[in-house]
Amino acid sequence: MTVTPPTVAAETPQRATRRFRTTKGRETWAGLAMMAPAGILLVLFLIIPVILAFTLSFTNARLISPNPPRFVGFDNFVRAFTNDPVFLQSAWNTFLFALVVVPVQAGLGLLLAVLVNRRMRGVTAFRVIFFIPVVTSIVVVSILWRFLYQPNGLINSMIDTITFGAWSGMDWLNNPQTALGAIIVLSIWQAVGFHMIIWLAGLQTIPEELYEAAKMDGAGPWRQFVSVTWPGLRPTMVFVLVTITISALALFVQIDVMTQGGPTGSTSTIVFYAVRKGYEQQEIGYAAAISLIFFVAVLIIALVQRRLTRDKD
Amino acid sequence: MRRTVPAFVAAGAIGALALTGCGQAGQGSTTSEDGRTQITMWTHSAGNPAELEVYERIISDFNASQDQYEVVEESFPQGAYNDAIVAAAASGDLPCLLDLDGPIMPNWAWAEYIQPLGISTEITDSLLPTAVGVWNDEIYSAGYWDAALSIFARESVLTENGIRIPTIEEPWTAEEFTTALQTLKDAGYETPIDIGAEDTGEWWPYAYSPFLQSFGGDLIDRDTMLSADGALNGPEAVAWGEWFQGLFADGLASTSGTVGNQEFVDDEVALSYTGVWNALASVEAIGDDLVILPPPDLGTGPKIGGGSWQWAISSTCEEVEGAREYLEFSFQDEYITEFADKQIVIPATEGAAEASEYFGPDGVLRPFVELSQEYAVLRPETPAYAVISTTFETAAKDIMNGADVQRTLDRAVDEIDANIESNDGYGF
């Protein structure tokens, strides 16, 4: 395996040895040394794969084939947008998922954070309860919820009991109308605790004096929240929104475990579809093109978010 | 101090490289402690203790029988097995001996993962035809058993409800089958047949494409192997789709449940369309009341998927001689019988079947041998099968969930044909 040395090293030509005798030179070396492990890993596992994926997406490379790949220009991209209804459906599903999950999960996380951000007995227990799903493996969570959603599962039994048998629920995961919704619910439940902790960290940076001052001015709880808490949480909000967006767009495990993209493609997502095309159907070139489209889309969305939430100073 | 800093850099770089682990899973010759040449072997049998036990016995017998080679076995869970093979092939780490599911063999042979088997033809000639994998007129794989599907029922339940017990000579017709299901539903079974729709993966094409073939459709046009058009979306295929959709829509079969035969054992369903490997629990639970029935004749006679797991030798194997020696050693009737009786699969040789407790002439599972000989259809022997399999699974699931049959099948055909075309026809 050949390793491209970090490009930074290239900027220090033969003079390096001479420079090395100066304090500044030594610092450069020390800096490079500290960067080396992360730098090499990043190049190997991030930069090179990205370049490879970019190259592959213009070929008809197969996962398994005795024939060498050949360049096909923009064929893969054209195919994705004009001749692949499942891809378009996957893109739409992914977008829909993010559209619901981002505001709901961020809002719910904030609500929980505000609730557990007080000094009273038992608050730690609540924090732990909300946080448990986050540290549970998402695969395990997905399998459990698949059982819950079964026609004769816990959720339907509950509905049946509450409505006194008037409605006994439905086959949530096998109904195109409800499958994505079911996955949205479990995804929010699983990850909301993580963002609750982030919000909580943000809440604890707001100085207590501000609240005292607000109380002196006669502000009620709502007014305190709007005028003190919310402005103080601005940087946290940006972080929470961007992280939720990126992870929501990358939805894969729940789909892979629970529905495999079905029923009738209603839960297929871009990442799931790329994996299916690339590995199960062995079309690596096409899967790379899908990944590239995904990469560009996420980049654009993240940049737009940054713009919208930037400090207006 | 002066020289330590570059060393520092080097150490960091080496550490990082070590973390990336450029390891090789020895496909090269490694020797064991006592100077034998090691032959690496992968199985998909982790999680199947009965099967693994037999392999371990064969391996230790083989290792003890000579002193030149030592077979070293590693087992993987079935769900991750194919991915492990593909990943290993991509990085040049394939083991010498590997087992594979029959229908994937052409894909791997075409990709040059595996080489022609080259074991004595005396052995391969004695095996069931469906236990030998042929691609391009060359034998690439061979297995100890085949599997088969049938419908399990309780004789008492059928007679109580006045349902004729079908035989190999006279299986149920499509109408009879539907009527029987309706009768059983009226008799109080919420979903009278368990066809295993909660399962995923290769089970779908294995279990449900025979129905399609019984209707007269197919997964691909087997004459050319270049297109699925007409076979998978023609009128016969659409008729299959409508029928399949109806099973679920009319509440005759359930879309969920537990994988395996538990519902049938618990008498929650009257019939179970299931594999031979699930038979033992039912035999034990139901005893003499159990009847093993042929699948229904939906137009062109009953059909059963043929071809199960088989063994092959990788193309990068450096110890081909030793690998062949091991395989030839392993195809002894006693081992094949043991596989058959421990794992409940159909033994691949006549001799092994004779000696088998379950599949022998008076064995309780003897019907399976006859079903398999009578109705087995191999899944299409083409490298395109990997795509056909997943596409069919998706399409059949969509149909199960109420999608428009013609449109779904047309889409599946487009997908399969596009893939065949992008692979330049896979050499056909």
Side-chain angles (χ1 to χ4, degrees):
Chain A
M1 185 180 291
T2 52
V3 180
T4 354
T7 41
V8 198
E11 292 167 23
T12 53
Q14 302 88 342
R15 277 193 333 206
T17 41
R18 195 155 31 110
R19 226 207 277 168
F20 177 55
R21 289 181 195 132
T22 65
T23 328
K24 193 158 176 256
R26 248 196 309 249
E27 277 179 8
T28 312
W29 275 108
L32 281 180
M34 291 177 196
M35 211 193 74
I40 289 172
L41 290 175
L42 273 176
V43 168
L44 272 180
F45 291 111
L46 191 78
I47 315 265
I48 293 177
V50 165
I51 294 169
L52 273 177
F54 187 83
T55 322
L56 284 174
S57 59
F58 295 96
T59 70
N60 69 345
R62 269 77 39 116
L63 182 66
I64 296 181
S65 173
N67 311 329
R70 42 171 208 273
F71 275 94
V72 292
F74 285 91
D75 280 9
N76 288 329
F77 299 93
V78 172
R79 175 181 160 191
F81 286 113
T82 59
N83 195 19
D84 192 348
V86 184
F87 167 75
L88 296 176
Q89 195 181 10
S90 305
W92 171 244
N93 290 338
T94 311
F95 178 71
L96 207 65
F97 180 85
L99 203 67
V100 177
V101 166
V102 172
V104 176
Q105 192 173 311
L108 208 59
L110 178 58
L111 182 74
L112 293 178
V114 171
L115 288 179
V116 298
N117 187 29
R118 47 192 75 200
R119 291 191 189 80
M120 51 180 258
R121 261 226 284 237
V123 91
T124 322
F126 279 107
R127 286 185 197 178
V128 170
I129 288 168
F130 294 142
F131 198 67
I132 281 178
V134 178
V135 291
T136 313
S137 153
I138 181 71
V139 175
V140 174
V141 170
S142 302
I143 291 173
L144 283 176
W145 279 75
R146 200 174 63 188
F147 288 131
L148 294 181
Y149 281 133
Q150 277 188 351
N152 52 2
L154 193 67
I155 289 177
N156 282 349
S157 321
M158 215 167 66
I159 292 174
D160 193 62
T161 313
I162 292 171
T163 59
F164 298 106
W167 186 47
S168 53
M170 58 199 309
D171 193 352
W172 301 100
L173 289 175
N174 280 320
N175 181 334
Q177 263 77 47
T178 55
L180 191 62
I183 287 176
I184 287 176
V185 169
L186 113 94
S187 305
I188 291 175
W189 174 83
Q190 195 264 341
V192 76
F194 177 74
H195 294 104
M196 172 193 83
I197 298 285
I198 308 277
W199 283 119
L200 203 55
L203 285 173
Q204 308 203 328
T205 59
I206 302 172
E208 198 58 39
E209 297 86 56
L210 292 178
Y211 287 108
E212 283 168 17
K215 278 190 197 128
M216 301 277 273
D217 291 343
W222 176 245
R223 192 60 213 272
Q224 282 180 39
F225 178 81
V226 173
S227 308
V228 179
T229 314
W230 187 239
L233 284 175
R234 205 179 161 72
T236 318
M237 178 197 78
V238 174
F239 177 80
V240 166
L241 283 186
V242 172
T243 50
I244 298 184
T245 306
I246 290 176
S247 61
L249 290 172
L251 171 69
F252 169 75
V253 176
Q254 295 93 310
I255 306 297
D256 194 42
V257 173
M258 295 172 80
T259 61
Q260 286 90 40
T264 59
S266 62
T267 59
S268 181
T269 63
I270 296 190
V271 179
F272 175 81
Y273 190 61
V275 170
R276 164 158 273 194
K277 275 283 169 208
Y279 289 96
E280 287 185 3
Q281 310 202 338
Q282 308 176 352
E283 297 188 47
I284 284 289
Y286 187 50
I290 292 173
S291 310
L292 192 66
I293 296 169
F294 174 68
F295 171 75
V296 171
V298 172
L299 197 69
I300 292 172
I301 291 171
L303 286 176
V304 168
Q305 268 190 331
R306 286 291 304 273
R307 254 199 93 69
L308 291 177
T309 54
R310 73 188 187 283
D311 284 332
K312 309 240 189 328
D313 307 333
Chain B
M1 184 68 217
R2 207 188 272 182
R3 234 173 313 158
T4 51
V5 183
F8 202 145
V9 180
I14 289 165
L17 274 179
L19 281 175
T20 62
C22 309
Q24 290 273 321
Q27 85 279 33
S29 326
T30 43
T31 41
S32 61
E33 286 164 26
D34 52 359
R36 297 165 170 231
T37 313
Q38 290 196 329
I39 300 171
T40 45
M41 163 175 165
W42 283 7
T43 77
H44 77 289
S45 316
N48 188 338
E51 195 175 323
L52 212 51
E53 200 182 316
V54 187
Y55 280 128
E56 278 162 4
R57 202 185 119 204
I58 299 177
I59 291 165
S60 68
D61 288 358
F62 174 75
N63 289 347
S65 73
Q66 40 76 51
D67 51 12
Q68 197 181 352
Y69 301 109
E70 183 188 21
V71 172
V72 184
E73 179 259 359
E74 229 180 304
S75 40
F76 293 73
Q78 185 171 338
Y81 183 74
N82 280 7
D83 295 348
I85 293 281
V86 171
S91 58
D93 280 346
L94 279 175
C96 238
L97 287 158
L98 53 119
D99 68 342
L100 44 78
D101 199 357
I104 200 76
M105 185 278 293
N107 187 274
W108 291 359
W110 168 80
E112 293 159 15
Y113 284 14
I114 52 178
Q115 55 178 306
L117 203 56
I119 61 173
S120 119
T121 49
E122 206 175 309
I123 292 178
T124 45
D125 289 345
S126 72
L127 301 173
L128 286 175
T130 49
V132 180
V134 179
W135 160 248
N136 258 352
D137 304 325
E138 288 260 23
I139 292 179
Y140 275 90
S141 62
Y144 310 109
W145 66 78
D146 197 357
L149 292 162
S150 78
I151 293 177
F152 286 10
R154 287 176 172 79
E155 198 172 353
S156 56
V157 172
L158 295 184
T159 31
E160 255 166 61
N161 291 288
I163 295 166
R164 180 179 75 84
I165 294 182
T167 58
I168 293 195
E169 292 73 40
E170 210 184 335
W172 279 325
T173 62
E175 277 151 48
E176 258 191 299
F177 182 61
T178 311
T179 316
L181 291 177
Q182 280 298 354
T183 310
L184 290 164
K185 192 174 170 72
D186 299 340
Y189 287 100
E190 195 184 341
T191 48
I193 187 167
D194 173 11
I195 62 168
E198 67 280 352
D199 209 341
T200 56
E202 190 54 36
W203 166 255
W204 277 71
Y206 178 70
Y208 309 137
S209 70
F211 290 147
L212 166 71
Q213 285 145 353
S214 187
F215 265 97
D218 206 345
L219 293 167
I220 189 168
D221 175 356
R222 292 193 194 222
D223 296 334
T224 64
M225 291 286 190
L226 289 174
S227 169
D229 196 33
L232 186 53
N233 59 354
E236 299 87 357
V238 173
W240 162 80
E242 306 281 358
W243 170 85
F244 190 68
Q245 197 165 51
L247 285 182
F248 301 98
D250 305 340
L252 302 176
S254 162
T255 56
S256 61
T258 46
V259 175
N261 245 4
Q262 202 50 44
E263 284 100 338
F264 176 70
V265 170
D266 298 343
D267 203 24
E268 284 168 23
V269 295
L271 306 174
S272 178
Y273 178 63
T274 184
V276 61
W277 57 89
N278 286 327
L280 201 55
S282 308
V283 170
E284 282 167 359
I286 295 155
D288 291 346
D289 202 17
L290 177 75
V291 278
I292 296 171
L293 313 173
D297 172 359
L298 303 168
T300 64
K303 298 276 186 273
I304 292 178
S308 186
W309 286 79
Q310 298 168 5
W311 281 91
I313 299 174
S314 72
S315 49
T316 52
C317 178
E318 292 177 7
E319 298 302 334
V320 182
E321 288 308 312
R324 285 185 185 144
E325 204 172 303
Y326 164 81
L327 284 180
E328 286 174 354
F329 176 89
S330 70
F331 275 96
Q332 293 176 38
D333 280 352
E334 68 165 300
Y335 298 132
I336 299 179
T337 303
E338 200 177 344
F339 274 124
D341 284 351
K342 279 220 167 113
Q343 243 202 288
I344 319 297
V345 280
I346 298 163
T349 64
E350 206 48 61
E354 291 297 316
S356 157
E357 179 187 347
Y358 299 112
F359 297 95
D362 338 316
V364 58
L365 300 177
R366 184 71 187 184
F368 275 108
V369 181
E370 287 149 23
L371 288 174
S372 169
Q373 282 165 353
E374 200 74 26
Y375 303 133
V377 181
L378 286 173
R379 283 154 281 177
E381 294 154 285
T382 161
Y385 187 74
V387 173
I388 293 173
S389 162
T390 51
T391 309
F392 177 81
E393 183 188 356
T394 307
K397 277 187 179 161
D398 288 353
I399 288 171
M400 168 178 93
N401 289 313
D404 178 77
V405 174
Q406 182 74 58
R407 238 193 40 223
T408 308
L409 293 175
D410 283 341
R411 201 196 265 188
V413 167
D414 283 348
E415 203 167 322
I416 291 169
D417 287 8
N419 178 279
I420 294 175
E421 200 177 330
S422 80
N423 279 287
D424 312 317
Y426 289 105
F428 278 106

